[in-house]
Amino acid sequence: MVAYWFRNTYPYQITYEKTDWVRIEAYGQKTGLPNVMHVMNTERPEQYRGVTYLAPIIEPLLQIKRYTEAEIMAAVVQAFFSVFIKSEAPTGVDGMPFNEVGDGQEADDQVSYDPNEYEMGSGNVNVMNPGESVELVETKRPNNGFEPFFKAMCKQIGAALEIPAELLIKEFTASYSASRAALLEAWKAFKMYRNWFASSFCKPVYEIWLSEAIARGRVNAPGFFSDPLVREAWLGSEWIGPSQGQLDPVKEVNAEILSIQNGLTTHEAAAAKINGSDWDTNIDQLEMEFRKIDELEDRLSKLTMMEEEDDKEDDSDSDEEL
């Protein structure tokens, strides 16, 4: 990559502003550091435009949104079905005094007697003219098939995003083993994207920051600009990120303890995996806490000894008086 071209307007934007292009070199001539951080997930060589993470499922998401809104509206309409009374009695002004639930309503609140107009509303009672009848369509709302269909679509969306359906909708109703398997499969993809983002964004930004700090004399790093191997040593970093989370902390902590005892992992890696903490910091904090606990126990033991001595002196004084 040699350079990037930036424009001051968006494509297909309706504006009177003239579109201007600015050329920015990809790397600085003096420093050799990147001027532009273009973070994208490339799937083929010479791909210069990224594809959004949600691109494969944008259309299904839109259709699910429409379907959900349609089901909600259908249920609301069914809840608004009114009661229609077919009567041979005269209706209108000279007939029944009102045509809805309640009495003493304003004229604007009365149901219209227009033969081409029918009204519905929650709790309404509509009196019909002679010869009229109403047949209600059985809509069967809420639809019993909505939830299975919605979950089936979530499985397809999760497969496209490499996220299990249980984690996508946060519904862990299966067994512990099944829920843990879903969480582990999801974290395989999460770790892959985390490593990709760390190598594509975090480490280059750290390199730019450290290079500027060393060049300005704020950080002393001998050999950083003269020896490439020393430079890589100074730039060595590890990006941990949030921890995975636990379904059963007792089982998972015991598994980490067994892994440490058998040399399969380290204390530092286990601390980062369990709760994202730093093992060295934990040890320093525990050392300070244990020291305070020992000091507190020493003070308590001294107070106890002093109280016992006072009790002995009181007993001896009482014996002398006797």
Side-chain angles (χ1 to χ4, degrees):
M1 184 65 66
V2 178
Y4 294 89
W5 287 89
F6 294 89
R7 59 183 292 176
N8 61 334
T9 59
Y10 293 100
Y12 308 107
Q13 180 183 1
I14 300 176
T15 178
Y16 293 102
E17 185 179 1
K18 181 182 177 181
T19 300
D20 294 327
W21 293 85
V22 179
R23 183 178 183 274
I24 303 295
E25 294 184 355
Y27 298 92
Q29 296 180 356
K30 295 182 179 181
T31 63
L33 298 175
N35 292 327
V36 178
M37 300 295 298
H38 189 195
V39 181
M40 68 175 188
N41 189 12
T42 56
E43 298 179 353
R44 56 180 175 81
E46 299 184 359
Q47 179 180 343
Y48 302 118
R49 293 182 180 272
V51 179
T52 177
Y53 179 67
L54 299 178
I57 50 93
I58 287 179
E59 182 64 22
L61 283 179
L62 177 61
Q63 299 301 336
I64 287 180
K65 176 177 178 291
R66 291 176 176 174
Y67 176 55
T68 303
E69 291 177 349
E71 286 291 335
I72 294 175
M73 182 57 63
V76 172
V77 170
Q78 183 182 12
F80 268 87
F81 277 168
S82 304
V83 175
F84 292 84
I85 300 176
K86 183 178 179 181
S87 173
E88 298 295 335
T91 58
V93 179
D94 298 332
M96 296 187 67
F98 59 89
N99 200 21
E100 282 189 358
V101 175
D103 195 2
Q105 294 180 331
E106 299 292 337
D108 294 338
D109 296 333
Q110 297 292 330
V111 174
S112 174
Y113 291 101
D114 190 339
N116 297 322
E117 181 179 349
Y118 295 92
E119 296 184 9
M120 291 194 307
S122 57
N124 285 1
V125 177
N126 298 300
V127 180
M128 304 184 65
N129 293 321
E132 294 181 343
S133 62
V134 173
E135 293 182 1
L136 299 180
V137 179
E138 187 177 359
T139 58
K140 297 181 180 180
R141 291 294 189 274
N143 189 358
N144 294 329
F146 173 76
E147 184 176 1
F149 176 77
F150 179 79
K151 290 185 177 181
M153 293 300 300
C154 288
K155 291 180 180 179
Q156 297 184 17
I157 292 174
L161 301 179
E162 299 183 89
I163 300 177
E166 295 89 344
L167 190 62
L168 184 65
I169 61 177
K170 291 182 172 59
E171 183 181 3
F172 298 95
T173 56
S175 62
Y176 168 79
S177 301
S179 300
R180 178 170 172 76
L183 189 62
L184 291 177
E185 286 297 321
W187 268 88
K188 288 181 181 179
F190 296 161
K191 291 178 180 178
M192 178 188 65
Y193 282 111
R194 175 186 290 180
N195 294 332
W196 161 75
F197 187 76
S199 60
S200 301
F201 182 79
C202 298
K203 290 184 178 180
V205 171
Y206 175 68
E207 180 180 1
I208 295 172
W209 168 82
L210 186 58
S211 299
E212 181 180 355
I214 296 174
R216 290 177 178 271
R218 297 175 179 174
V219 177
N220 184 20
F224 184 85
F225 295 107
S226 59
D227 192 340
L229 295 179
V230 175
R231 180 188 182 93
E232 289 298 322
W234 282 109
L235 292 175
S237 59
E238 184 178 0
W239 303 85
I240 298 175
S243 59
Q244 176 176 331
Q246 306 167 18
L247 295 178
D248 191 338
V250 176
K251 292 182 180 179
E252 299 185 17
V253 170
N254 289 333
E256 293 296 328
I257 293 174
L258 291 175
S259 298
I260 293 172
Q261 293 175 352
N262 292 277
L264 301 178
T265 186
T266 62
H267 289 88
E268 184 177 4
K273 182 178 179 181
I274 292 297
N275 52 20
S277 61
D278 181 68
W279 185 77
D280 292 327
T281 304
N282 294 342
I283 292 299
D284 294 339
Q285 182 68 25
L286 288 173
E287 182 182 4
M288 181 181 63
E289 292 177 358
F290 287 146
R291 189 185 309 116
K292 289 184 177 181
I293 292 175
D294 293 338
E295 293 176 357
L296 179 61
E297 290 179 349
D298 291 340
R299 282 188 291 176
L300 291 176
S301 61
K302 289 180 180 179
L303 290 175
T304 303
M305 293 177 61
M306 292 176 62
E307 291 178 354
E308 291 178 353
E309 291 178 356
D310 292 339
D311 293 339
K312 291 180 179 180
E313 291 178 358
D314 293 338
D315 295 337
S316 61
D317 292 341
S318 59
D319 294 337
E320 291 177 358
E321 290 178 358
L322 293 175

